Amino acid sequence: MVQAGNYNYTDESDLPNVVPVFPLGGALLLPGGQLPLNIFEPRYLQMLDDAMAGRRIIAMIQPSLDGAKREDGEPELCQVGCLGRITSLSETGDGRCIVNLHGIARFRVIEEIASRTPYRMCRIAAFVGDLNLGEGAEEVNRDALLKAFRQYLDANQLEADWESVTRASNETLVNALCMMSPYGAAEKQALLEAPDLKTRADTLIAITEISLARDGEEGDGTSHTLQ
């Protein structure tokens, strides 16, 4: 079960199969995670109004990583995204909305459908297994994950609230670190598409280690040629 705001999502019947999509490069929403958004484009403000009048669900997805575009100039979409429930919305007074999305479950795009709405709509198949929050959390290599996180912080002279980190469950820790990670769209998509929590943690560790190694090479002025 995933609890998002005042609603519990327990099985496939709780999830829509046609959803409004919000393409946003570099943004990562994971089941159970929280994603703040600052929305100002008119068509997406309309999307928020429509979602709030319905099931309060929108679909976060990245534009295609290869930069491909449709004939109308809109970006093609990645095939996997994440459903989010709007759990808070505030109007700023200058035409913007500040929204918090609570991740519910990932999905795969089946097809984009014609719509009279100014925003895009897709038919999807949800990853129903994502509703089993915590599944596989015991298989996460927590020590390796925390080591990589600490090394990243040290290398970038950053601090963390270690008391909160140590109290977090494996699932909360993995997903929070993935969502706050500073990596690019391709890395974020790889984290999103990881089949389970252990693989997601291992992927984040590997990406972090590669980033640290690359930064180290640039810092010491050395270069290496792959043969």
Side-chain angles (χ1 to χ4, degrees):
M1 180 186 74
V2 174
Q3 181 176 355
N6 294 328
Y7 197 90
N8 294 328
Y9 298 87
T10 58
D11 56 43
E12 189 172 8
S13 65
D14 294 324
L15 302 174
N17 55 23
V18 174
V19 291
V21 295
F22 185 17
L24 185 60
L28 177 61
L29 178 64
L30 291 169
Q34 307 279 341
L35 180 65
L37 293 171
N38 177 11
I39 297 180
F40 52 86
E41 193 172 338
R43 58 176 167 170
Y44 295 125
L45 292 172
Q46 181 65 54
M47 179 186 70
L48 290 181
D49 287 345
D50 294 346
M52 290 299 291
R55 302 177 74 167
R56 297 193 177 193
I57 292 177
I58 64 174
M60 295 300 301
I61 196 164
Q62 291 203 104
S64 178
L65 300 178
D66 62 6
K69 293 188 181 296
R70 308 188 310 181
E71 290 183 359
D72 61 2
E74 289 289 319
E76 296 286 358
L77 303 175
C78 288
Q79 289 301 297
V80 176
C82 187
L83 300 175
R85 179 179 175 87
I86 301 168
T87 55
S88 69
L89 184 153
S90 61
E91 297 177 332
T92 62
D94 60 0
R96 296 178 295 120
C97 283
I98 306 299
V99 172
N100 186 73
L101 283 186
H102 189 116
I104 303 169
R106 295 171 297 163
F107 64 86
R108 185 173 300 279
V109 174
I110 297 175
E111 62 178 347
E112 188 163 350
I113 62 175
S115 171
R116 293 183 178 180
T117 63
Y119 48 84
R120 298 162 70 176
M121 302 283 292
C122 285
R123 191 179 314 279
I124 64 161
F127 292 19
V128 181
D130 284 350
L131 299 181
N132 300 319
L133 281 180
E135 185 171 316
E138 67 281 355
E139 298 178 10
V140 171
N141 188 339
R142 185 182 180 96
D143 290 341
L145 182 64
L146 289 176
K147 178 182 177 182
F149 180 47
R150 188 182 292 276
Q151 288 175 336
Y152 179 85
L153 292 176
D154 290 345
N156 291 276
Q157 299 180 328
L158 299 172
E159 298 289 338
D161 180 359
W162 283 103
E163 183 177 349
S164 297
V165 169
T166 55
R167 287 200 311 264
S169 68
N170 281 357
E171 180 176 43
T172 298
L173 184 64
V174 171
N175 288 342
L177 292 181
C178 286
M179 289 180 61
M180 67 185 288
S181 65
Y183 305 123
E187 289 84 359
K188 292 288 181 73
Q189 194 65 26
L191 293 168
L192 176 67
E193 295 186 15
D196 52 52
L197 200 63
K198 178 183 184 301
T199 306
R200 184 172 298 143
D202 291 344
T203 302
L204 179 60
I205 292 168
I207 291 171
T208 301
E209 290 176 344
I210 291 170
S211 175
L212 289 170
R214 181 173 60 243
D215 291 346
E217 291 175 0
E218 292 174 354
D220 64 16
T222 60
S223 61
H224 301 274
T225 302
L226 294 178
Q227 300 296 325

